[in-house]
Each structure stands twice: as C-alpha cells, then as structure tokens.
Amino acid sequence: MDLKTMTFLVVGATFALYIGIAIWARASTTKEFYVAGTGVHPIANGMATAADWMSAASFISMAGLIAFLGYDASVYLMGWTGGYVLLALLLAPYLRKFGKFTVSEFIGERYYSKAARMVAVLCLIVASITYVIGQMKGVGVAFGRFLEVPLHTGVAVGMAIVFIYAVMGGMKGITYTQIAQYCVLIFAYTVPAIFITLNLTGVPIPQIGLGSTMADGSGVALLDKLDMVVTDLGFAAFTAQKWSTLNMVLLTLSLMIGTAGLPHVIMRFFTVPKVADARTSAGWALIFIAILYTTAPAVGAMARLNLMHTIQTGEVGSVDGNMVYADRPDWFKNWEITGLLKFEDKNGDGRVQYYNDKNKDFAAKAASFGWKGNEMVKVDRDIMVLANPEIANLPNWVIALVAAGGLAAALSTAAGLLLAIATAVSHDVIKGMISPDISEKKELLASRLSMAGAILVAGYLGMNPPGFAAQVVALAFGLAASSIFPALMMGIFNKNMDNIGAIAGMLTGLFSTLIYIFWFKGWFFIPGTAMAANTPDNWFMGISPEAFGAVGAMLNFLVAYLVSKVTPPPPEHIQHLVENIRVPIGAGKAADH
Amino acid sequence: MSDQTNRQAYWKANLKLVAFCLSIWFVVSYLFGIILVDQLNTIRLGGYKLGFWFAQQGSMYIFVVLIFFYANRIGKIDKQFNVHED
C-alpha cells in the first residue's frame, strides 16, 4: 500500500475513534460541558491532562527545535515539565479545596471584586488564543504534508476539523477522547524513536540510546559524533550553549510558571474527587508527559544526524560528497510541495550543499570547495518530527502513525483551550457578569459561538504565524506566567493581598509582557509592524520575547506587593477564606453549577 | 492546642516542606542544568556529558519523584495535624 493511502487509513481510523467516543460521552448539560464529573480517577485524569497539555508544540515542534538548537532547547524540556512541580506544590490542592469551576472565579472571589475577575478573564483569553495559534500552525504542517497541499490550505482544513470536534464535545466528551488521544500520540512518538535508536546505536530505549555509542563499530558516542558532523559543516556543536545564561534561566522560569498559570491545565485539577488527588494527579500527568519529553532529545539529535548524513553523503569538500538533487528521496520532494523545505542550486553543480554560511571561517573554506552559499535555503524546524521516520527509511505504517499522532496532539490541546475560552466567555463574562439568569441552553449556545470565533482568529494567525509552533506557544506561556500565576499564588500564600494590589499586579504583568512581545514580533503579530528587529542586540539585557514572561511575573509580584501596602487590607471573611483553603479538611465535592 | 494555632503550625510545616522540595527543584534544573552546566560537562555519564544529561533527562525524572514525594509527606503531615479529608 502506498504511503498516502496508508496515512488516510490510519488518520481516518483514529478520527473515527475520537468522534465515536465524543458522541458516546456527549455532554448534555452545562455542568457536563465544563467538568468531566468528579468520578475521574487520578491516573485517568493524569493521562487526559497529559494529552490536553502535550500539543502540536510538544509533539511536532519540540524535537525539531532540539535538532537545530541542541543543548539550548533544554529550556523547553525543563520549562514544560518543571511547571508541574509548581502546580502540585503551590496551586492545585488549594484551588481544588476552593472548589469552583474556573480560574477567574477563584480570582473574582478571593479578591472580592468583579473587576479582578474581568481582568483574569482578559489575561486568560489573551494567553489561550496565542496558544491556539501555535496549535493551528502545527495542524497546518501536519495536514499540509499528508494531503500534499500548501501550509495555508492545511490550516484551513484543520480549522474545520477542530471546530466540529470541539463544539460537539465539552469537557466530558473531551476527557475520554483525550485518553484515547494520549495512547495514539505516545505510541506514535515512541515507535519511530525506538526504530531509529535501534538503527543508530543498537539500543532499543531512546533515553539510553542517546547516551550510547554508535552501532557502526567506531566506538564513538552518538552525541560526540553529532557534534563532529555539525561542526565539520560550520554549525555550532550540538551540546554547546549558544544563548546567554540569563536568557536560558528566564525562559525556563517563564515556561514553568506559565505552565502553572495556564487555565486549561488548572481547570483539570478543580474536578478531581479529593484534595489529595489534586496533588497526585499532577504527578501522574507529569509521568505521562515525561515519557514523551525524555524521548524528544533522542528524536531531535538522531533526526539531525540522519538529515546531515542524507545530504552530506561523503567527505566534506570532496567532489561527490553531497547528495545529487535529481536523486533526492521522496520525502524531500513531498516537503518541497508544502513550501516548508526549499533548495536553490547556487553553484549550479546539481548537488545539495547544506552548511552554515554565516560562519565566516567555514564560509571561506566552503568557497575553496566551489560552494557558493548554503543551498538548503529553508528547512522549517516544525517538519523534523514528521519527516524523521521517512528520512530514516522506516516502513510506511510508522510514517502514517506519526501523522495521526501529531494531529491527535494538536487537536486535543486545541479542544481543551477552546473549551477554556468558551467557559471564560459564557460562564465568567455572560453568566457571571452580564446576565446571571441566562438559561442553560443559551449559555451552551454562547460558549459554542465563542469557540467558533476563537477558531477563526487563531486560524488566521496560524497562517501567518509569528514563529515556529513551539515559539508561539512559548509566548502564550509568557503571558500566562506574567498575569495569572502571581495572582493565584499570592491569593493563597499572602493573606493580606487585596483587590487593588492584585488587579494592579495582573495588569502590569500582562501589559508589560504583551508590549515587549509586540515590540519585537509586530503589533497583534501583524507582519511588518514590529518596532525593532527581533535580534539579541535589540533585546533588553539580551532577554528574548519568549523569556520576558518571567520578568513580567516579577513586576506583577512587586507592583501587587507595593500597592497592597498602601491600600486597605482584605475584609475579615476573605482572610478566613484563605485560611480555609490552606487545609484539606472539609473539602466538599467540586462545586455544583 | 486551639484549632487556630494548630492550623498555623500545620501551615508552617507545609511551607517548610514546600521550600525543601523547591530547593531541589531549583538545584537540578537551574543550577545543574544551566548555571553549572560547563563545570558538570567535564564529567561523563556514558555517552552523555553530565550537565547536558541533567538539562535534557535527569531534571525531568527528579521532577516526577519530587511531586510524589511531596504528596506522600504532606499526606502524613495532614494526618499528624488532623486536617486530612475524611
């Protein structure tokens, strides 16, 4: 069976499975739409949280970033897992004890203020929409490849499917579907990783294979080999640090506290049966996440090695050491169709030279070989995971499986986020503020309409993304980190934090981060409107826009603290509320609607 | 001991445990994975350089262990101060 038919078959079968589950577990009441019911076991909840959490950024984009950034990409690995420690230790059990549906409800009540709730809704919507943009780019890449269409068409197809899928489900449908999606995506990620690790090192476990020696009998460690291969072509060594230490620390911190401040993840912990379950649920989620995250470095490093070997087939600089363009493999041709891979024969020798022409020393050497610049003019990092099994010549069913896994990852996260946005609009804004006695039917309608609106905005921006999927997602985390996390944490750990302090803090955090991002990425991400080029020389103290969330969060804490010192302390009953959520005793069931 | 002071003592014990866990969290990721990475990279763990291993493997394993360690210890403290759920 050819690859295309196989892909349609596998993707089609998994979709039928998800939609089947969504119909079987269809939400009929608003309560079911928002929460999956308190009967979800911590392990099941952990698995669903993992699927919810691991998005196109984790599945499609992250290993690609690792492949090209090497060691520096560690910030994504540590940042997106370390946040769960913060979540389990600082937020989840207390929010569960509080026992409401949404993050903004907590903020509204804790800071006894509708305005605070409104600001929280704003922060949440901005962060969530930015996040969905990243997903849309990922979906576009996946569909673009397997339908063999350009990125734009891929995004449009993805929008339609996400719409049908998310609007039908609600939390109840989504939870069970997400468990199925987790199984599909983790299988799809680890199977090719195991194949490739076996090929290269003879070890079947990617986490160990990455630290093993090559199976070619040379006795050289795989990572050392990779360092040699890339530095021979003028690139920086894979295991070397390229970014400044300050930027790495802040980006990691930004991703960690962003994880702990993301509404669609926190929402999951509102609904576990007990406070103790909220603590362990985060642990289970992290186990399921770590299976993928510890495999990713192996996938990234080995994809890079295979890519270099495919193009640089012989000695660097020898006449026949480079791949002949006319003999390029099928995967190369297919990715050229999507526009995400581009070749230009600069020296007209009919062979492909892929090297770092920005490295002056090496460029001079390359000129002596008759090379006239890097001919792989575009290698979109987001294609690496999907192309990886093809580059390694794995069987067709494995390649089809990876496409299905990537789509599962993107869809499960997009659905969870859209639900969080819909909940914010219909539950917090419309029911909570504008018309409290809205009928259930109308509330459901409002939430579905807001999902549709969010998909349109995200789809448009997904076609003109401000970065690679993982980088766009990193921006979303910066926004959540700078606005929501500090307000939640102070709400629990500082009894004297008052309404004005919290609001001032949230607004400072959100807008300082948002403006810093727009400054370098363009206002509302519209291309050409950036105030300064997005380069390290222009950045404030060398801090990239992705990493600024940590600074925004510090500003948030600082402003909130200072303002709370000069404004009246919170009333007695709020202080009691805080004392009460600090102890597990007396936690009821998750609040009814 | 009154209910009020008991709860305060519980909260103190909790904060102490949280601080302990978070210092390990900081050491394995920020310190070993980023700040001291060059120094640790002179040591090898099979084919891995140690600093690189912490950044791309080790920190994540330790995060998982930390969460379950915290959940377990705080569960015992809950019982000790009699503030656990039924």
Side-chain angles (χ1 to χ4, degrees):
Chain A
M1 201 182 312
D2 73 331
L3 178 58
K4 207 168 171 182
T5 326
M6 184 71 102
T7 313
F8 270 105
L9 210 70
V10 174
V11 173
T14 54
F15 271 52
L17 175 70
Y18 310 147
I19 292 176
I21 295 174
I23 293 172
W24 167 70
R26 224 169 106 87
S28 48
T29 64
T30 35
K31 177 165 191 235
E32 282 179 353
F33 193 82
Y34 295 131
V35 292
T38 45
V40 182
H41 188 273
I43 297 183
N45 194 49
M47 209 182 259
T49 310
D52 204 341
W53 163 250
M54 287 193 290
S55 60
S58 301
F59 190 97
I60 298 177
S61 194
M62 195 172 60
L65 283 176
I66 296 171
F68 291 96
L69 295 175
Y71 163 77
D72 289 358
S74 312
V75 296
Y76 296 103
L77 294 164
M78 290 189 286
W80 282 334
T81 51
Y84 277 84
V85 178
L86 298 180
L87 200 54
L89 269 54
L90 301 177
L91 299 182
Y94 310 109
L95 294 176
R96 168 59 190 85
K97 174 72 195 291
F98 176 71
K100 285 283 164 66
F101 281 141
T102 67
V103 173
S104 17
E105 251 177 331
F106 172 78
I107 289 182
E109 258 185 63
R110 165 61 183 83
Y111 295 115
Y112 46 99
S113 149
K114 275 197 174 174
R117 184 170 177 178
M118 205 61 197
V119 172
V121 170
L122 176 75
C123 297
L124 195 152
I125 291 177
V126 173
S128 300
I129 289 201
T130 312
Y131 201 168
V132 186
I133 299 171
Q135 302 311 309
M136 285 320 217
K137 161 89 194 283
V139 174
V141 173
F143 274 116
R145 166 64 187 85
F146 98 80
L147 299 176
E148 290 166 19
V149 293
L151 178 67
H152 284 200
T153 321
V155 173
V157 174
M159 278 165 68
I161 291 182
V162 170
F163 179 76
I164 298 171
Y165 172 74
V167 169
M168 273 187 22
M171 192 63 137
K172 186 165 174 240
I174 286 179
T175 298
Y176 292 111
T177 318
Q178 278 172 338
I179 293 172
Q181 281 166 330
Y182 177 80
C183 298
V184 170
L185 81 85
I186 204 68
F187 188 66
Y189 203 83
T190 48
V191 166
I194 290 170
F195 267 111
I196 293 169
T197 317
L198 265 176
N199 273 346
L200 288 174
T201 64
V203 179
I205 301 165
Q207 287 83 344
I208 296 172
L210 183 61
S212 304
T213 49
M214 299 289 290
D216 56 9
S218 61
V220 181
L222 185 133
L223 285 166
D224 295 335
K225 171 88 179 173
L226 179 55
D227 278 349
M228 269 187 292
V229 168
V230 292
T231 48
D232 277 352
L233 287 162
F235 296 102
F238 186 82
T239 55
Q241 183 179 339
K242 274 83 65 182
W243 292 344
S244 77
T245 299
L246 175 71
N247 193 49
M248 289 196 64
V249 167
L250 287 178
L251 181 48
T252 308
L253 188 62
S254 199
L255 297 177
M256 282 192 188
I257 55 185
T259 297
L262 270 187
H264 74 292
V265 175
I266 301 179
M267 263 168 86
R268 293 235 160 242
F269 299 100
F270 281 94
T271 58
V272 289
K274 288 159 65 183
V275 173
D277 294 335
R279 297 172 185 148
T280 49
S281 269
W284 284 111
L286 188 56
I287 288 184
F288 292 121
I289 291 166
I291 296 174
L292 188 143
Y293 270 58
T294 54
T295 307
V299 173
M302 292 172 195
R304 181 78 180 275
L305 194 59
N306 280 333
L307 177 71
M308 301 312 281
H309 277 155
T310 304
I311 295 172
Q312 189 71 47
T313 50
E315 189 104 355
V316 175
S318 62
V319 187
D320 52 1
N322 294 69
M323 180 177 81
V324 177
Y325 181 67
D327 300 341
R328 66 194 186 282
D330 285 339
W331 63 264
F332 200 112
K333 293 176 194 159
N334 288 330
W335 282 106
E336 282 181 311
I337 299 172
T338 61
L340 297 170
L341 191 69
K342 274 197 196 110
F343 165 76
E344 208 176 281
D345 196 0
K346 290 181 179 163
N347 63 352
D349 69 347
R351 289 176 183 271
V352 183
Q353 282 99 39
Y354 177 39
Y355 67 102
N356 185 5
D357 54 7
K358 302 217 169 55
N359 177 339
K360 288 209 178 66
D361 295 338
F362 188 77
K365 204 165 148 199
S368 73
F369 303 147
W371 296 1
K372 293 192 173 141
N374 174 27
E375 299 183 338
M376 295 294 286
V377 289
K378 184 166 184 188
V379 185
D380 193 295
R381 292 165 186 175
D382 288 349
I383 71 174
M384 285 313 290
V385 167
L386 295 173
N388 196 21
E390 291 180 277
I391 300 175
N393 291 315
L394 297 186
N396 279 352
W397 66 269
V398 179
I399 302 167
L401 192 62
V402 172
L407 289 169
L411 287 175
S412 60
T413 306
L417 282 165
L418 290 166
L419 188 76
I421 296 171
T423 311
V425 173
S426 63
H427 191 70
D428 290 319
V429 178
I430 297 181
K431 190 176 168 78
M433 275 166 257
I434 299 170
S435 86
D437 29 62
I438 184 172
S439 71
E440 278 213 352
K441 225 177 167 179
K442 278 198 178 139
E443 196 187 337
L444 269 181
L445 180 69
S447 64
R448 285 176 171 146
L449 283 177
S450 39
M451 273 189 185
I455 293 175
L456 287 177
V457 174
Y460 169 75
L461 289 165
M463 292 179 189
N464 307 291
F468 300 109
Q471 290 172 323
V472 181
V473 168
L475 294 176
F477 282 79
L479 292 168
S482 62
S483 58
I484 297 170
F485 178 78
L488 291 176
M489 198 182 150
M490 288 182 294
I492 297 159
F493 287 86
N494 183 355
K495 252 195 302 190
N496 295 321
M497 182 49 59
D498 63 13
N499 51 357
I500 305 171
I503 293 173
M506 279 192 282
L507 289 175
T508 309
L510 177 69
F511 283 104
S512 60
T513 309
L514 204 53
I515 290 171
Y516 193 81
I517 290 172
F518 285 162
W519 196 268
F520 294 108
K521 300 258 175 189
W523 297 99
F524 303 96
F525 301 130
I526 294 166
T529 57
M531 306 298 287
N534 191 19
T535 58
D537 303 337
N538 290 334
W539 295 340
F540 173 69
M541 288 176 67
I543 301 167
S544 66
E546 285 86 4
F548 196 80
V551 180
M554 288 174 212
L555 290 173
N556 182 337
F557 276 119
L558 185 73
V559 168
Y561 179 75
L562 293 178
V563 172
S564 75
K565 285 278 152 200
V566 295
T567 44
E572 193 97 340
H573 73 273
I574 295 296
Q575 304 200 18
H576 282 307
L577 173 83
V578 177
E579 273 163 18
N580 191 38
I581 57 173
R582 286 178 176 182
V583 289
I585 193 168
K589 287 196 167 157
D592 230 336
H593 188 57
Chain B
M1 204 160 33
S2 78
D3 193 38
Q4 183 79 12
T5 50
N6 179 50
R7 284 189 173 197
Q8 270 167 6
Y10 166 76
W11 187 242
K12 252 201 190 128
N14 178 36
L15 289 182
K16 221 170 117 188
L17 180 61
V18 168
F20 173 74
C21 292
L22 287 185
S23 49
I24 294 181
W25 165 84
F26 176 82
V27 166
V28 298
S29 52
Y30 294 92
L31 208 58
F32 290 173
I34 301 176
I35 297 167
L36 296 179
V37 69
D38 289 334
Q39 286 80 347
L40 287 178
N41 274 350
T42 56
I43 306 166
R44 292 190 75 110
L45 187 73
Y48 284 114
K49 294 172 184 164
L50 189 60
F52 182 87
W53 181 80
F54 266 108
Q56 301 212 341
Q57 298 279 318
S59 56
M60 292 184 276
Y61 300 132
I62 296 166
F63 291 156
V64 171
V65 174
L66 262 182
I67 294 180
F68 284 103
F69 170 77
Y70 173 78
N72 181 284
R73 293 303 283 273
I74 193 67
K76 285 185 185 142
I77 296 176
D78 285 351
K79 291 219 171 77
Q80 188 190 329
F81 286 90
N82 204 22
V83 293
H84 58 284
E85 300 160 280
D86 335 298

